[in-house]
Short mmCIF file of all heavy atoms in Angstrom, two decimals:
data_model
loop_
_atom_site.label_atom_id
_atom_site.label_comp_id
_atom_site.label_asym_id
_atom_site.label_seq_id
_atom_site.Cartn_x
_atom_site.Cartn_y
_atom_site.Cartn_z
N LEU X 1693 -36.47 -1.30 25.08
CA LEU X 1693 -36.71 -2.72 25.30
C LEU X 1693 -37.91 -3.25 24.54
O LEU X 1693 -37.90 -4.39 24.08
CB LEU X 1693 -36.94 -2.97 26.80
CG LEU X 1693 -35.70 -2.99 27.71
CD1 LEU X 1693 -36.14 -3.03 29.17
CD2 LEU X 1693 -34.82 -4.19 27.39
N LEU X 1694 -38.94 -2.45 24.39
CA LEU X 1694 -40.22 -2.95 23.89
C LEU X 1694 -40.64 -2.35 22.56
O LEU X 1694 -41.78 -2.50 22.14
CB LEU X 1694 -41.33 -2.72 24.93
CG LEU X 1694 -41.09 -3.36 26.31
CD1 LEU X 1694 -42.28 -3.07 27.23
CD2 LEU X 1694 -40.88 -4.87 26.18
N GLY X 1695 -39.73 -1.66 21.87
CA GLY X 1695 -40.06 -1.15 20.55
C GLY X 1695 -40.98 0.05 20.58
O GLY X 1695 -41.84 0.21 19.69
N THR X 1696 -40.82 0.93 21.57
CA THR X 1696 -41.63 2.14 21.67
C THR X 1696 -40.73 3.35 21.88
O THR X 1696 -39.54 3.22 22.18
CB THR X 1696 -42.64 2.03 22.84
OG1 THR X 1696 -41.91 1.87 24.06
CG2 THR X 1696 -43.57 0.85 22.65
N VAL X 1697 -41.32 4.53 21.76
CA VAL X 1697 -40.59 5.79 21.91
C VAL X 1697 -41.23 6.60 23.02
O VAL X 1697 -42.46 6.76 23.06
CB VAL X 1697 -40.61 6.58 20.58
CG1 VAL X 1697 -40.08 7.98 20.76
CG2 VAL X 1697 -39.78 5.84 19.52
N ASP X 1698 -40.42 7.10 23.95
CA ASP X 1698 -40.94 7.90 25.05
C ASP X 1698 -41.35 9.29 24.57
O ASP X 1698 -40.98 9.72 23.46
CB ASP X 1698 -39.88 8.02 26.15
CG ASP X 1698 -38.63 8.72 25.67
OD1 ASP X 1698 -37.79 8.08 25.00
OD2 ASP X 1698 -38.48 9.92 25.95
N ALA X 1699 -42.12 10.01 25.39
CA ALA X 1699 -42.68 11.30 24.99
C ALA X 1699 -41.59 12.32 24.70
O ALA X 1699 -41.70 13.11 23.75
CB ALA X 1699 -43.62 11.81 26.08
N GLU X 1700 -40.54 12.35 25.52
CA GLU X 1700 -39.47 13.32 25.32
C GLU X 1700 -38.77 13.10 23.98
O GLU X 1700 -38.53 14.05 23.23
CB GLU X 1700 -38.47 13.21 26.47
CG GLU X 1700 -37.31 14.18 26.38
CD GLU X 1700 -36.34 14.00 27.54
OE1 GLU X 1700 -36.80 13.79 28.68
OE2 GLU X 1700 -35.12 14.09 27.31
N GLN X 1701 -38.45 11.84 23.68
CA GLN X 1701 -37.82 11.55 22.39
C GLN X 1701 -38.79 11.81 21.24
O GLN X 1701 -38.39 12.27 20.17
CB GLN X 1701 -37.34 10.10 22.36
CG GLN X 1701 -36.59 9.74 21.08
CD GLN X 1701 -36.14 8.29 21.03
OE1 GLN X 1701 -35.46 7.88 20.10
NE2 GLN X 1701 -36.53 7.49 22.00
N GLY X 1702 -40.08 11.53 21.45
CA GLY X 1702 -41.07 11.79 20.42
C GLY X 1702 -41.15 13.28 20.07
O GLY X 1702 -41.25 13.65 18.89
N ALA X 1703 -41.10 14.13 21.09
CA ALA X 1703 -41.12 15.57 20.83
C ALA X 1703 -39.88 16.00 20.06
O ALA X 1703 -39.96 16.83 19.14
CB ALA X 1703 -41.22 16.33 22.16
N TRP X 1704 -38.73 15.45 20.44
CA TRP X 1704 -37.49 15.75 19.70
C TRP X 1704 -37.60 15.27 18.25
O TRP X 1704 -37.21 16.00 17.31
CB TRP X 1704 -36.31 15.07 20.38
CG TRP X 1704 -35.06 15.12 19.55
CD1 TRP X 1704 -34.14 16.12 19.50
CD2 TRP X 1704 -34.60 14.11 18.65
NE1 TRP X 1704 -33.13 15.81 18.62
CE2 TRP X 1704 -33.38 14.57 18.08
CE3 TRP X 1704 -35.09 12.86 18.26
CZ2 TRP X 1704 -32.67 13.83 17.14
CZ3 TRP X 1704 -34.37 12.12 17.33
CH2 TRP X 1704 -33.18 12.60 16.79
N LEU X 1705 -38.16 14.08 18.04
CA LEU X 1705 -38.27 13.54 16.69
C LEU X 1705 -39.15 14.43 15.82
O LEU X 1705 -38.82 14.69 14.65
CB LEU X 1705 -38.84 12.12 16.75
CG LEU X 1705 -39.08 11.43 15.41
CD1 LEU X 1705 -37.78 11.29 14.62
CD2 LEU X 1705 -39.73 10.05 15.63
N ARG X 1706 -40.24 14.92 16.37
CA ARG X 1706 -41.10 15.83 15.59
C ARG X 1706 -40.35 17.12 15.23
O ARG X 1706 -40.48 17.63 14.12
CB ARG X 1706 -42.36 16.15 16.38
CG ARG X 1706 -43.31 14.95 16.55
CD ARG X 1706 -44.61 15.34 17.26
NE ARG X 1706 -45.53 14.21 17.31
CZ ARG X 1706 -45.63 13.38 18.35
NH1 ARG X 1706 -44.88 13.58 19.43
NH2 ARG X 1706 -46.48 12.37 18.32
N GLU X 1707 -39.58 17.62 16.17
CA GLU X 1707 -38.85 18.86 15.92
C GLU X 1707 -37.75 18.66 14.89
O GLU X 1707 -37.58 19.46 13.96
CB GLU X 1707 -38.26 19.37 17.24
CG GLU X 1707 -37.47 20.67 17.12
CD GLU X 1707 -38.34 21.84 16.69
OE1 GLU X 1707 -39.56 21.85 17.01
OE2 GLU X 1707 -37.80 22.76 16.03
N VAL X 1708 -36.97 17.60 15.04
CA VAL X 1708 -35.82 17.40 14.16
C VAL X 1708 -36.26 16.96 12.76
O VAL X 1708 -35.48 17.02 11.81
CB VAL X 1708 -34.86 16.37 14.80
CG1 VAL X 1708 -35.30 14.93 14.52
CG2 VAL X 1708 -33.42 16.58 14.34
N SER X 1709 -37.52 16.53 12.63
CA SER X 1709 -38.03 16.09 11.33
C SER X 1709 -38.59 17.23 10.49
O SER X 1709 -38.91 17.03 9.31
CB SER X 1709 -39.14 15.03 11.53
OG SER X 1709 -38.63 13.89 12.17
N ARG X 1710 -38.71 18.40 11.06
CA ARG X 1710 -39.28 19.52 10.31
C ARG X 1710 -38.32 20.01 9.24
O ARG X 1710 -37.11 19.83 9.33
CB ARG X 1710 -39.62 20.66 11.27
CG ARG X 1710 -40.77 20.34 12.21
CD ARG X 1710 -41.02 21.46 13.20
NE ARG X 1710 -42.14 21.13 14.09
CZ ARG X 1710 -42.46 21.83 15.16
NH1 ARG X 1710 -41.75 22.90 15.49
NH2 ARG X 1710 -43.49 21.46 15.91
N GLY X 1711 -38.89 20.67 8.24
CA GLY X 1711 -38.07 21.30 7.21
C GLY X 1711 -37.98 20.49 5.94
O GLY X 1711 -38.28 19.30 5.90
N PRO X 1712 -37.54 21.13 4.86
CA PRO X 1712 -37.57 20.51 3.53
C PRO X 1712 -36.40 19.56 3.25
O PRO X 1712 -36.40 18.90 2.22
CB PRO X 1712 -37.50 21.72 2.60
CG PRO X 1712 -36.73 22.75 3.38
CD PRO X 1712 -37.13 22.55 4.82
N ARG X 1713 -35.42 19.50 4.13
CA ARG X 1713 -34.25 18.65 3.87
C ARG X 1713 -34.69 17.18 3.81
O ARG X 1713 -35.37 16.69 4.72
CB ARG X 1713 -33.22 18.84 4.98
CG ARG X 1713 -31.87 18.21 4.71
CD ARG X 1713 -30.89 18.62 5.79
NE ARG X 1713 -29.52 18.33 5.41
CZ ARG X 1713 -28.46 18.94 5.89
NH1 ARG X 1713 -28.63 19.90 6.79
NH2 ARG X 1713 -27.25 18.61 5.51
N PRO X 1714 -34.31 16.42 2.78
CA PRO X 1714 -34.67 15.00 2.72
C PRO X 1714 -34.09 14.24 3.92
O PRO X 1714 -32.98 14.53 4.36
CB PRO X 1714 -34.06 14.52 1.41
CG PRO X 1714 -33.88 15.76 0.59
CD PRO X 1714 -33.59 16.85 1.56
N LYS X 1715 -34.85 13.26 4.40
CA LYS X 1715 -34.46 12.56 5.63
C LYS X 1715 -34.54 11.04 5.45
O LYS X 1715 -35.40 10.53 4.72
CB LYS X 1715 -35.35 13.01 6.79
CG LYS X 1715 -35.22 14.49 7.10
CD LYS X 1715 -36.21 14.95 8.13
CE LYS X 1715 -36.14 16.47 8.27
NZ LYS X 1715 -36.74 17.14 7.09
N ILE X 1716 -33.67 10.37 6.19
CA ILE X 1716 -33.65 8.91 6.27
C ILE X 1716 -33.73 8.54 7.74
O ILE X 1716 -32.93 9.01 8.55
CB ILE X 1716 -32.36 8.33 5.65
CG1 ILE X 1716 -32.28 8.68 4.16
CG2 ILE X 1716 -32.29 6.81 5.85
CD1 ILE X 1716 -30.92 8.39 3.54
N LEU X 1717 -34.72 7.74 8.11
CA LEU X 1717 -34.86 7.28 9.48
C LEU X 1717 -34.12 5.96 9.67
O LEU X 1717 -34.20 5.07 8.81
CB LEU X 1717 -36.33 7.09 9.83
CG LEU X 1717 -36.62 6.64 11.27
CD1 LEU X 1717 -36.39 7.78 12.25
CD2 LEU X 1717 -38.03 6.08 11.40
N ILE X 1718 -33.40 5.82 10.79
CA ILE X 1718 -32.81 4.55 11.18
C ILE X 1718 -33.32 4.22 12.58
O ILE X 1718 -33.20 5.03 13.50
CB ILE X 1718 -31.27 4.60 11.14
CG1 ILE X 1718 -30.81 4.93 9.72
CG2 ILE X 1718 -30.69 3.27 11.60
CD1 ILE X 1718 -29.31 4.97 9.54
N THR X 1719 -33.91 3.05 12.72
CA THR X 1719 -34.59 2.69 13.96
C THR X 1719 -34.31 1.25 14.32
O THR X 1719 -34.08 0.41 13.45
CB THR X 1719 -36.11 2.92 13.82
OG1 THR X 1719 -36.78 2.31 14.92
CG2 THR X 1719 -36.66 2.32 12.54
N GLY X 1720 -34.34 0.97 15.62
CA GLY X 1720 -34.14 -0.40 16.07
C GLY X 1720 -35.32 -1.31 15.80
O GLY X 1720 -35.17 -2.53 15.85
N SER X 1721 -36.50 -0.77 15.54
CA SER X 1721 -37.70 -1.57 15.29
C SER X 1721 -38.28 -1.19 13.93
O SER X 1721 -38.77 -0.08 13.76
CB SER X 1721 -38.75 -1.31 16.39
OG SER X 1721 -38.24 -1.66 17.65
N PRO X 1722 -38.23 -2.09 12.95
CA PRO X 1722 -38.72 -1.74 11.60
C PRO X 1722 -40.22 -1.45 11.60
O PRO X 1722 -40.99 -2.02 12.38
CB PRO X 1722 -38.38 -2.98 10.78
CG PRO X 1722 -38.26 -4.09 11.76
CD PRO X 1722 -37.76 -3.47 13.03
N LEU X 1723 -40.61 -0.57 10.71
CA LEU X 1723 -42.01 -0.14 10.64
C LEU X 1723 -42.85 -1.05 9.76
O LEU X 1723 -44.07 -1.16 9.97
CB LEU X 1723 -42.08 1.31 10.15
CG LEU X 1723 -41.29 2.33 10.98
CD1 LEU X 1723 -41.43 3.73 10.40
CD2 LEU X 1723 -41.70 2.30 12.44
N TYR X 1724 -42.25 -1.67 8.76
CA TYR X 1724 -42.89 -2.74 7.99
C TYR X 1724 -41.97 -3.94 8.05
O TYR X 1724 -40.77 -3.85 7.75
CB TYR X 1724 -43.10 -2.32 6.52
CG TYR X 1724 -44.27 -1.42 6.30
CD1 TYR X 1724 -44.15 -0.04 6.42
CD2 TYR X 1724 -45.53 -1.94 5.98
CE1 TYR X 1724 -45.23 0.80 6.22
CE2 TYR X 1724 -46.62 -1.11 5.78
CZ TYR X 1724 -46.46 0.26 5.89
OH TYR X 1724 -47.54 1.10 5.70
N VAL X 1725 -42.54 -5.10 8.41
CA VAL X 1725 -41.73 -6.30 8.53
C VAL X 1725 -42.63 -7.53 8.45
O VAL X 1725 -43.74 -7.53 8.99
CB VAL X 1725 -40.92 -6.29 9.85
CG1 VAL X 1725 -41.81 -6.22 11.06
CG2 VAL X 1725 -39.97 -7.48 9.93
N ASP X 1726 -42.16 -8.55 7.74
CA ASP X 1726 -42.88 -9.82 7.61
C ASP X 1726 -44.30 -9.62 7.10
O ASP X 1726 -45.25 -10.31 7.52
CB ASP X 1726 -42.90 -10.57 8.95
CG ASP X 1726 -41.53 -11.02 9.39
OD1 ASP X 1726 -40.59 -10.99 8.56
OD2 ASP X 1726 -41.36 -11.41 10.56
N GLY X 1727 -44.47 -8.66 6.21
CA GLY X 1727 -45.78 -8.40 5.63
C GLY X 1727 -46.75 -7.70 6.55
O GLY X 1727 -47.96 -7.67 6.28
N GLU X 1728 -46.25 -7.11 7.64
CA GLU X 1728 -47.11 -6.43 8.61
C GLU X 1728 -46.61 -5.01 8.85
O GLU X 1728 -45.43 -4.71 8.67
CB GLU X 1728 -47.13 -7.20 9.93
CG GLU X 1728 -47.66 -8.62 9.81
CD GLU X 1728 -47.52 -9.41 11.12
OE1 GLU X 1728 -46.81 -8.91 12.02
OE2 GLU X 1728 -48.09 -10.50 11.21
N HIS X 1729 -47.54 -4.17 9.32
CA HIS X 1729 -47.22 -2.77 9.63
C HIS X 1729 -47.10 -2.61 11.14
O HIS X 1729 -48.02 -2.96 11.89
CB HIS X 1729 -48.34 -1.87 9.09
CG HIS X 1729 -48.06 -0.40 9.24
ND1 HIS X 1729 -49.06 0.54 9.39
CD2 HIS X 1729 -46.90 0.31 9.27
CE1 HIS X 1729 -48.54 1.74 9.49
NE2 HIS X 1729 -47.22 1.63 9.44
N HIS X 1730 -45.96 -2.08 11.59
CA HIS X 1730 -45.73 -1.82 13.01
C HIS X 1730 -45.33 -0.35 13.15
O HIS X 1730 -44.14 -0.03 13.10
CB HIS X 1730 -44.64 -2.73 13.56
CG HIS X 1730 -44.99 -4.19 13.49
ND1 HIS X 1730 -45.65 -4.84 14.51
CD2 HIS X 1730 -44.79 -5.11 12.52
CE1 HIS X 1730 -45.83 -6.10 14.18
NE2 HIS X 1730 -45.32 -6.29 12.97
N PRO X 1731 -46.29 0.55 13.31
CA PRO X 1731 -46.00 1.98 13.20
C PRO X 1731 -45.17 2.57 14.34
O PRO X 1731 -44.71 3.70 14.22
CB PRO X 1731 -47.39 2.62 13.16
CG PRO X 1731 -48.30 1.62 13.79
CD PRO X 1731 -47.73 0.28 13.47
N CYS X 1732 -44.98 1.86 15.43
CA CYS X 1732 -44.15 2.26 16.57
C CYS X 1732 -44.80 3.39 17.36
O CYS X 1732 -44.66 4.58 17.02
CB CYS X 1732 -42.74 2.67 16.13
SG CYS X 1732 -41.61 2.97 17.52
N PRO X 1733 -45.50 3.04 18.44
CA PRO X 1733 -46.21 4.07 19.22
C PRO X 1733 -45.27 5.01 19.95
O PRO X 1733 -44.17 4.62 20.37
CB PRO X 1733 -47.05 3.24 20.21
CG PRO X 1733 -46.36 1.92 20.29
CD PRO X 1733 -45.74 1.68 18.95
N ILE X 1734 -45.71 6.24 20.10
CA ILE X 1734 -45.01 7.25 20.88
C ILE X 1734 -45.83 7.52 22.14
O ILE X 1734 -47.05 7.72 22.06
CB ILE X 1734 -44.83 8.56 20.08
CG1 ILE X 1734 -43.95 8.31 18.83
CG2 ILE X 1734 -44.21 9.65 20.94
CD1 ILE X 1734 -43.86 9.50 17.91
N GLU X 1735 -45.18 7.49 23.29
CA GLU X 1735 -45.86 7.76 24.54
C GLU X 1735 -46.58 9.11 24.48
O GLU X 1735 -46.00 10.11 24.08
CB GLU X 1735 -44.84 7.77 25.68
CG GLU X 1735 -45.44 8.02 27.06
CD GLU X 1735 -44.39 8.17 28.13
OE1 GLU X 1735 -43.20 8.39 27.78
OE2 GLU X 1735 -44.74 8.07 29.32
N GLY X 1736 -47.84 9.11 24.81
CA GLY X 1736 -48.62 10.33 24.79
C GLY X 1736 -49.45 10.51 23.54
O GLY X 1736 -50.28 11.42 23.46
N GLY X 1737 -49.22 9.65 22.54
CA GLY X 1737 -50.04 9.72 21.32
C GLY X 1737 -49.23 9.82 20.06
O GLY X 1737 -48.12 10.36 20.03
N GLY X 1738 -49.80 9.28 18.98
CA GLY X 1738 -49.13 9.30 17.69
C GLY X 1738 -48.15 8.15 17.54
O GLY X 1738 -47.92 7.37 18.47
N THR X 1739 -47.57 8.06 16.37
CA THR X 1739 -46.61 6.99 16.07
C THR X 1739 -45.43 7.57 15.30
O THR X 1739 -45.51 8.66 14.72
CB THR X 1739 -47.23 5.87 15.22
OG1 THR X 1739 -47.52 6.37 13.90
CG2 THR X 1739 -48.51 5.34 15.86
N VAL X 1740 -44.37 6.81 15.29
CA VAL X 1740 -43.21 7.19 14.49
C VAL X 1740 -43.58 7.25 13.02
O VAL X 1740 -43.16 8.16 12.29
CB VAL X 1740 -42.05 6.21 14.73
CG1 VAL X 1740 -40.92 6.43 13.72
CG2 VAL X 1740 -41.52 6.33 16.15
N ASP X 1741 -44.40 6.29 12.56
CA ASP X 1741 -44.74 6.29 11.13
C ASP X 1741 -45.61 7.48 10.75
O ASP X 1741 -45.57 7.93 9.60
CB ASP X 1741 -45.43 4.98 10.75
CG ASP X 1741 -45.31 4.70 9.26
OD1 ASP X 1741 -44.31 5.14 8.64
OD2 ASP X 1741 -46.20 4.04 8.69
N ASP X 1742 -46.40 8.02 11.67
CA ASP X 1742 -47.12 9.26 11.38
C ASP X 1742 -46.13 10.36 10.99
O ASP X 1742 -46.38 11.14 10.06
CB ASP X 1742 -47.91 9.73 12.62
CG ASP X 1742 -49.06 8.83 12.96
OD1 ASP X 1742 -49.53 8.09 12.08
OD2 ASP X 1742 -49.50 8.85 14.14
N ILE X 1743 -45.01 10.42 11.70
CA ILE X 1743 -44.00 11.45 11.42
C ILE X 1743 -43.33 11.18 10.09
O ILE X 1743 -43.09 12.10 9.30
CB ILE X 1743 -42.98 11.48 12.57
CG1 ILE X 1743 -43.69 11.91 13.87
CG2 ILE X 1743 -41.82 12.41 12.26
CD1 ILE X 1743 -42.83 11.78 15.11
N VAL X 1744 -43.02 9.91 9.81
CA VAL X 1744 -42.39 9.55 8.53
C VAL X 1744 -43.31 9.87 7.37
O VAL X 1744 -42.87 10.36 6.32
CB VAL X 1744 -42.00 8.06 8.53
CG1 VAL X 1744 -41.55 7.60 7.15
CG2 VAL X 1744 -40.89 7.81 9.55
N ARG X 1745 -44.59 9.63 7.52
CA ARG X 1745 -45.54 9.80 6.42
C ARG X 1745 -45.92 11.26 6.18
O ARG X 1745 -46.42 11.59 5.10
CB ARG X 1745 -46.82 9.00 6.70
CG ARG X 1745 -46.63 7.50 6.55
CD ARG X 1745 -47.82 6.73 7.09
NE ARG X 1745 -47.71 5.33 6.77
CZ ARG X 1745 -48.24 4.75 5.69
NH1 ARG X 1745 -48.96 5.48 4.85
NH2 ARG X 1745 -48.09 3.47 5.47
N ASP X 1746 -45.72 12.13 7.14
CA ASP X 1746 -46.09 13.53 6.99
C ASP X 1746 -45.29 14.15 5.84
O ASP X 1746 -44.05 14.20 5.89
CB ASP X 1746 -45.80 14.28 8.29
CG ASP X 1746 -46.35 15.69 8.30
OD1 ASP X 1746 -46.43 16.32 7.22
OD2 ASP X 1746 -46.68 16.19 9.40
N PRO X 1747 -45.94 14.62 4.78
CA PRO X 1747 -45.20 15.14 3.62
C PRO X 1747 -44.33 16.35 3.96
O PRO X 1747 -43.34 16.62 3.27
CB PRO X 1747 -46.30 15.51 2.62
CG PRO X 1747 -47.55 15.65 3.44
CD PRO X 1747 -47.40 14.69 4.57
#
Side-chain angles (χ1 to χ4, degrees):
L1693 282 171
L1694 302 181
T1696 60
V1697 170
D1698 62 280
E1700 180 181 320
Q1701 184 181 184
W1704 170 86
L1705 178 60
R1706 291 184 176 95
E1707 180 64 30
V1708 83
S1709 298
R1710 292 177 180 170
R1713 191 172 194 156
K1715 298 173 187 73
I1716 298 169
L1717 181 73
I1718 300 182
T1719 168
S1721 300
L1723 303 180
Y1724 281 87
V1725 60
D1726 294 347
E1728 299 174 348
H1729 185 209
H1730 298 271
C1732 188
I1734 297 173
E1735 181 186 16
T1739 68
V1740 170
D1741 203 29
D1742 291 339
I1743 296 171
V1744 171
R1745 287 169 172 267
D1746 189 329

